[in-house]
Every structure is written in structure tokens, then in C-alpha cells.
Amino acid sequence: MRGEPALPADYQYFPYVNPDAPKGGAITYGVVGTFDSLNPFLVKSMRTYARGMFGDPEFGNLVYESLMQRSADEPFTMYGLLAEKVETDADRTWVEFTLNPKAKWSDGQSVTPDDVIFTFDILTQKGRPPFNTRMKLISKIEKVGEHGVRITFNDQANREFPLVLALMPVLPKHAVDAENFDRSPLNIPIGSGPYVVSQVQPGQRIVFKRDPNYWAADLPSRRGFNNYDTISVEYFRNLQAQFEAFKKGVFDVFAEGDPNKWASSYGFPAFNDGRVVKETFKTKSPSNFYGFTFNTRRDEFKDRTVREALALMFDFEWTNRNLYAGRYQRLGSYWQGSDLSALGIAADATERAILAQFPDAVLPEVMDGTYEPASTDGSGRDRKEMKRAYDLLISRGYSIKDEQMLDPKGNPLNFEILTRSVAEERLGIAYKRTLERLGIGVTVRTVDDAQYQKRLQTFDYDVILGAYLGTLSPGYEQYARWGSQSKDIEGSFNYAGVADPAVDTLIDKMLAARQPEEFTSIVRALDRVLISGHYMVPIYYQPEQWIAHWAYLKHPDKTSLIGYQLSTWWSDKR
């Protein structure tokens, strides 16, 4: 995206793999949720398609593949996969991908430029965000020779767009029923990836088996990956059931996110005798962002000052001490733990120049680097932040009558926190505890995964616990998270309903930046605007990755920039 690739043109493998990892054996993953589709490209199955099909952050692209492969050891650099060559101009107004002539579908047919063009067509017509919006930035797609596809952009595109397109999946034109693409969610697909779907039990299990004729097995960008003959994914209704199944050996690897459990729940027999081991991985990427998210489409959350007051009422210190034995750290930035974060840093000249056209977008304490999230003494009785919140609400015309907080029209300030697990419910109840002390009525409602996904997709909620993956190369995905263009698109990741000209402008400038220093300043400015907007109540972050696994699983010695990569692990169990 900026600068030069870290690896030379003749690289043999990525630095975070074991190129000689043994092939064979099997692994079983365990996940919470359900699935009713094998099609990861539809809105209606956006959050209920089977894991591992495409774009899976943990398991990889097992069935479908993209034109190029992203390196997990660089902020944003692409290497060859389905496309063996790529060419673009200095301003990136067009890009040309040349397909690898060896690329094959699992039925033996070649991957062609027609497949690439067909994919753009079908996903524009029937796909989900962000796939269905890509053509808005494209003026022309044309076939070039036997293996080439040239894509010319319009003036809405940006410098990141060629890399985004390199991450696009490619679908087989000859094997997709275009008319019924969105009507047969459980049809076994044909892909170009290392595995084929061999067994499906909807909502319970999916099994992938290695394609013995996988075309890219010896490609540098695939060497050391996909080391199992069989990959199974088991589904569980909740975290407790999932963990109990892991302890019994139903599945092989467990990513722990609860510090209490990490410290005290691993005294079961398999761990005590060494059959299960715990490992900690350190990353160099920003922490994931996790927090209560206000749906600003709702009238009660449209006022920034009201959101700020509500944010002050989350007692992190009490919650951390009582729910997590004090083992978490407070989150405050959308790029926490990286140079992109604005926390503790005054805005530089570049930031101030950009933000000058939006004088109200950043709060003074955020601009000068003195902002910190609200803090208490952890007793649960500290009234300092409550008084600040009360004063802010009173300044906006709110009042208390009969121990109820009333809005300027005299209506009670009530809302619902929608959760999907016991862990989220506990957090919601902790927040409710302090809000009710100020006369704010809160209901915590836990629903099953299918209902939660439906309500999330249609923005049918007041407050949720939202999460975003951290990245050292924020780019086009920020439109989907915060851009005004995504506010009303069903299924988008703009959970808070943000529509702010300052945010839109900063994302535009961020994508146009060519120099690392300029890029860093712009992202920090965006961080300041988002922090000042109080769209989310930041909760906590986990500075390390905690993984428990059965001891027969092995992994490379080197950890990538963004942490462990399950797709590079292997099994000694035969």
C-alpha cells in the first residue's frame, strides 16, 4: 500500500510459516453459533454462513480464493495467488491482473478471466456489502489476452482500491447457477482453494477434505499453509458448552478471551498431565476495538453530549475488578497500542490543518492529548464520574423526577442493551448497574444467535457490544464502519450509524496518503474524531493472544505481525 514489499520477487515462502511443515492428519475447530448457508457472499447469510469458506479471519480461505494473498507480516502487501502478475500505473487509475495459467477449479477446469468478470457481475447484482458496491468505483472491466483482466477505475476510486480488488474472491462461471445464486444456500460449491466440502450438518458441523489436486500447493504464497488432510468445524450454542467440549477433546484449539478463565479454569486432567498446553502470542498490531455501541439512528442517541454522559457512566475499574480479577486494561483508542493511536499525543500540524475545517469535530482534551477514558476508584460507589455525567445531561435539558431521568420532552430515558452470550450479558448488567443509579432505565436482553444476527443486520437495536478488528493499514473498510455512505445499507458494519463529514473527509485523505508520516497523522486525526464522537463506550483490550491447544498441534517459531496464524499449524497426531 505504501513503500515497497518486504519480500523479493523470488521469495520462496512467508517468514511466519514452516515451509517444511508435515502434511496430513486432521484438526477440529470449535465455534459458537450456527450456520444455514455455504454461500458467504449473500446479505441474508452474511453472519450465518459456514466458517472457513472464504475470508475467515482464523481458518483462512479453504474453498474460495482471491486474486492475491495478503501477507500477515506486513501492514498491507499483496503477493501472487490466482493472479501471478499485477500491473498498475503510478496514480493507480487502473490495474491489470494476469492469472496463473496453472490455476484450476476443484473440478479440473481452468480459472479464466471470464470467471473474474462473472464474479464482479454476480456479486454486484446479488452479493452483500462490500462486494456489491465495488462496481461503483469501476468504469470498465475488460479481458486482455488469454489470461489477463484489466480494470479501469472512475474518479471515486482511491489508491487502496487495487489492493482491495486483489482480495476479491473469484467464482466459477461454469459452476454457478446465476439465476438461483441466492436461493440454494447449502449446495456444495466448486472452488479453487485447498479444500473441498465433504460433509455438512447444517448448524452443527462442516467437514473439509484436502483437494489432492490443489493447483497452488507449491506456490510460494501457499507453502507451509493448509497442512491437514481434514478440517472439521463443530458448532456450539454457547461459550460454556464450547469450553467443556474442548476439555474433553471434541475439538483441538481454543482461543481464550476471558482472563479469569485463563488464570483459573485450566485445572482439568488433560491440562494437568500435559495433553493440553497454554501459549501466549504477542502481536505488533493495534488491539481490536470492543465496546458498547450507541445506535445513533435512535433519537435518544443523536446528541453527542448525551452519548458522552452515558459513556462516563461505565465503571471500568469496578467491572474489571469484579468480573475479571483486574486482569484487563482500559481501552481508549480505536488504534490502541500502535503509532496510529492519538491517545496521549497532541495533534500535530498536519492534523490541525485538516481538522480546521471541522472546528467542532474534536473535543479540546482529545486535540491536546490529555483525554483519558473515565476512571473511578473501583469501589462501585465513586460519584465523581456520575456527577460529570449528570451535569452534561442537565446542560442538554434533561431532568430527574421521581428518580427517573427525563429527556427535554419529559420522556424517561430508557434503552435496551442487546447481547448474545452470558459473557456479554454480564457486561451489560454491570453497565446497567451504574446507569440506573442516575435514573436511566436499562433492559439487558440476550437472544439466540439467529435473532441477534437478524436484528444486527437491520439495525434493530438500541445498544450492542460491537467489535472491530485492529489493523496497521486502515483503509477502505473504514467506509463500511464509519462512512455516511454505509449508514443505511442493510448488513453494513456501521453499527453506530455514523454520518459525519469530518469522518468521510479523513477516510478519503487516509486512502490518498502516500507517505507513512502523512498517513499516521491522518489516522490519528480520524481517531480523535471517533473518540470525540462517543459513538462507542470503549471497554477493555487484551494486549496478548491466549491460545490453549492439544499438545499434538504444532506451529512455526515466528509469530507474524498480527499474531498466530492457525492456517500455518500442523498436527503430529497420525
Side-chain angles (χ1 to χ4, degrees), residues 41-47 123 126-133 136 295 297 450-461 479-481 483-495 497:
F41 310 114
L42 303 176
V43 169
K44 63 184 178 182
S45 61
M46 188 170 180
R47 295 177 176 88
L123 294 186
K126 300 186 176 184
R128 64 169 173 85
F131 304 118
N132 62 346
T133 62
K136 293 179 180 178
N295 185 357
R297 302 170 186 85
Q451 185 179 352
Y452 184 89
Q453 300 302 342
K454 177 64 176 177
R455 291 184 62 176
L456 191 70
Q457 182 177 308
T458 57
F459 311 121
D460 182 18
Y461 51 83
Y479 284 126
R481 296 180 181 184
S484 58
Q485 65 194 52
S486 65
K487 173 179 177 287
D488 298 317
I489 296 178
E490 185 173 300
S492 85
F493 296 100
N494 191 344
Y495 303 133

Side-chain angles (χ1 to χ4, degrees), residues 41 54 96-97 164 213 251 454 566:
F41 310 114
F54 178 81
E96 185 173 315
F97 297 103
V164 172
N213 300 312
F251 64 97
K454 177 64 176 177
L566 291 180

Side-chain angles (χ1 to χ4, degrees), residues 239 243 254-266 278 280 290 316 319-330 423 426-427 539-547:
L239 278 170
F243 187 61
F254 187 85
E256 183 61 79
D258 186 330
N260 285 339
K261 285 176 59 183
W262 187 247
S264 61
S265 296
Y266 287 81
K278 292 164 63 178
T280 297
Y290 182 56
F316 168 76
T319 302
N320 193 34
R321 188 173 76 178
N322 286 273
L323 299 188
Y324 308 112
R327 294 186 176 98
Y328 275 132
Q329 296 181 40
R330 184 70 195 267
R426 288 165 64 201
L427 268 173
I539 299 178
Y540 56 69
Y541 71 98
Q542 186 177 309
E544 300 171 330
Q545 296 173 328
W546 300 323
I547 296 290

Side-chain angles (χ1 to χ4, degrees), residues 234-405:
E234 298 279 346
Y235 283 75
F236 299 92
R237 298 186 71 174
N238 54 58
L239 278 170
Q240 185 61 35
Q242 181 194 26
F243 187 61
E244 292 301 319
F246 170 70
K247 289 160 58 176
K248 295 174 182 177
V250 175
F251 64 97
D252 299 308
V253 58
F254 187 85
E256 183 61 79
D258 186 330
N260 285 339
K261 285 176 59 183
W262 187 247
S264 61
S265 296
Y266 287 81
F268 51 92
F271 177 78
N272 292 336
D273 63 23
R275 288 177 293 152
V276 168
V277 297
K278 292 164 63 178
E279 295 196 67
T280 297
F281 297 87
K282 296 184 181 296
T283 76
K284 297 178 182 177
S285 62
S287 299
N288 296 336
F289 195 91
Y290 182 56
F292 292 102
T293 306
F294 301 118
N295 185 357
T296 63
R297 302 170 186 85
R298 300 281 204 255
D299 288 341
E300 56 265 46
F301 302 127
K302 291 186 182 299
D303 188 323
R304 180 175 74 174
T305 302
V306 172
R307 299 195 300 270
E308 181 180 2
L310 295 174
L312 290 171
M313 291 299 294
F314 177 66
D315 191 338
F316 168 76
E317 284 72 23
W318 184 92
T319 302
N320 193 34
R321 188 173 76 178
N322 286 273
L323 299 188
Y324 308 112
R327 294 186 176 98
Y328 275 132
Q329 296 181 40
R330 184 70 195 267
L331 188 66
S333 163
Y334 290 83
W335 284 273
Q336 186 96 22
S338 75
D339 290 340
L340 302 178
S341 173
L343 279 187
I345 301 172
D348 61 24
T350 300
E351 293 180 70
R352 291 182 180 277
I354 297 171
L355 293 170
Q357 58 184 307
F358 307 105
D360 299 323
V362 178
L363 298 171
E365 63 271 25
V366 180
M367 185 72 84
D368 64 23
T370 61
Y371 164 82
E372 292 181 356
S375 64
T376 70
D377 61 12
S379 67
R381 298 181 297 275
D382 192 337
R383 299 172 60 85
K384 171 172 54 68
E385 302 299 348
M386 183 186 299
K387 179 62 166 61
R388 289 176 59 198
Y390 173 82
D391 290 342
L392 287 173
L393 289 171
I394 296 303
S395 75
R396 304 305 292 174
Y398 284 71
S399 61
I400 290 183
K401 182 179 181 180
D402 297 330
E403 298 184 346
Q404 277 192 316
M405 181 65 70

Side-chain angles (χ1 to χ4, degrees), residues 163-179:
L163 285 87
V164 172
L165 294 186
L167 285 168
M168 280 280 285
V170 179
L171 309 181
K173 180 179 180 180
H174 70 281
V176 173
D177 180 354
E179 183 176 346

